[in-house]
Amino acid sequence: MFEPRLSVATAFVSVMLLMGCKGFNPVADTMSTFVSSAEPSDNYQKGLSYLQVVLNGRETSMALGYRSDKGQEVHEHWYSGQREMLHLVNGRITEVQGMTNELRKQSGKAPSWTYLMETKRPLSWLRTRDVMPGYRYGVVEYVVSQWVEPTHKQAALVKQPALWFTEQIQSKTSNGQNWTYIETYAVSGNQVIYSEQCLAPDMCIQLRPLGVMKP
């Protein structure tokens, strides 16, 4: 059904056309785009690469606008028909626009999946985030990244052998309360094929790249 290659120019133009035909709505409206269909694939367009997004059991998809390599970093920009955007770097969310919780900017050097696998030891690092709502800038987050053995339930989430990693994050909520959460990543061929990542205590999403819909 899907193939791993896509013309970046074709995809970006197609996504921009999709965005131009729809309004600007928060993430809840994004979800209704696809859950209203009996089969989410009914909404896919041929030739586009898709990212499955699940929030609180509701499923939608975002189309790849463009992908670029910057050294060892792979940057991907995914868009919905409602103009939400996810910017992923090596599979990690680093920017979110148009959703009810936004990540405007992030700084801090995340360790590579290869390094975490080779060391097999927890690695502590810092990142700062500018987030919305509330115009909170420079929110410091303490991260502990490590390779882990997956549970049987986790292994069943992907249909191929994968390396699993967790990142435990200590942060602050919008009201200043301590917030500790764990993000999970499954990596195959140095690419994230499944992840669970959080933007707020009530907004943790599962991401799964679907590949390119064959013409």
Side-chain angles (χ1 to χ4, degrees):
M1 183 177 181
F2 294 98
E3 293 180 338
R5 298 184 63 84
L6 173 68
S7 166
V8 174
T10 300
F12 187 71
V13 171
S14 298
V15 171
M16 293 303 101
L17 288 173
L18 279 171
M19 291 172 59
C21 296
K22 300 203 176 184
F24 185 93
N25 296 309
V27 71
D29 291 334
T30 304
M31 297 301 169
S32 66
T33 301
F34 282 86
V35 297
S36 60
S37 173
E39 292 292 337
S41 59
D42 292 344
N43 296 274
Y44 297 153
Q45 292 197 16
K46 307 299 183 182
L48 291 184
S49 183
Y50 284 94
L51 177 72
Q52 181 190 74
V53 183
V54 179
L55 170 64
N56 298 329
R58 296 181 296 169
E59 177 185 337
T60 188
S61 295
M62 303 180 78
L64 180 64
Y66 56 97
R67 178 187 287 119
S68 62
D69 296 336
K70 298 181 180 179
Q72 296 183 340
E73 294 182 344
V74 178
H75 292 249
E76 297 174 324
H77 290 77
W78 299 89
Y79 297 89
S80 76
Q82 284 72 34
R83 299 187 182 181
E84 294 96 347
M85 186 276 288
L86 288 180
H87 176 192
L88 306 184
V89 177
N90 294 341
R92 295 180 176 96
I93 296 174
T94 60
E95 184 182 2
V96 179
Q97 298 282 351
M99 296 187 181
T100 51
N101 290 276
E102 295 188 347
L103 172 56
R104 296 294 182 88
K105 182 180 179 182
Q106 177 173 293
S107 61
K109 183 66 174 179
S112 70
W113 307 119
T114 300
Y115 179 81
L116 292 173
M117 182 59 197
E118 289 175 346
T119 61
K120 293 189 177 180
R121 295 193 303 269
L123 176 67
S124 299
W125 54 287
L126 295 178
R127 69 187 182 197
T128 60
R129 288 182 158 186
D130 297 344
V131 297
M132 293 281 287
Y135 300 97
R136 296 193 297 137
Y137 296 98
V139 177
V140 178
E141 297 193 329
Y142 302 88
V143 187
V144 178
S145 304
Q146 62 181 327
W147 167 82
V148 295
E149 288 282 2
T151 65
H152 291 298
K153 183 177 180 180
Q154 287 174 328
L157 291 172
V158 297
K159 297 181 180 180
Q160 62 192 91
L163 302 173
W164 287 78
F165 303 87
T166 62
E167 295 191 327
Q168 179 173 298
I169 299 118
Q170 295 182 9
S171 185
K172 296 280 189 181
T173 62
S174 58
N175 60 5
Q177 298 297 310
N178 291 328
W179 174 36
T180 300
Y181 60 100
I182 295 177
E183 298 186 329
T184 304
Y185 301 84
V187 179
S188 179
N190 211 33
Q191 295 183 336
V192 174
I193 60 174
Y194 175 83
S195 67
E196 299 173 2
Q197 305 184 56
C198 296
L199 299 173
D202 59 349
M203 191 176 176
C204 292
I205 57 180
Q206 293 84 51
L207 304 178
R208 187 191 305 271
L210 299 178
V212 181
M213 178 65 76
K214 295 173 64 173

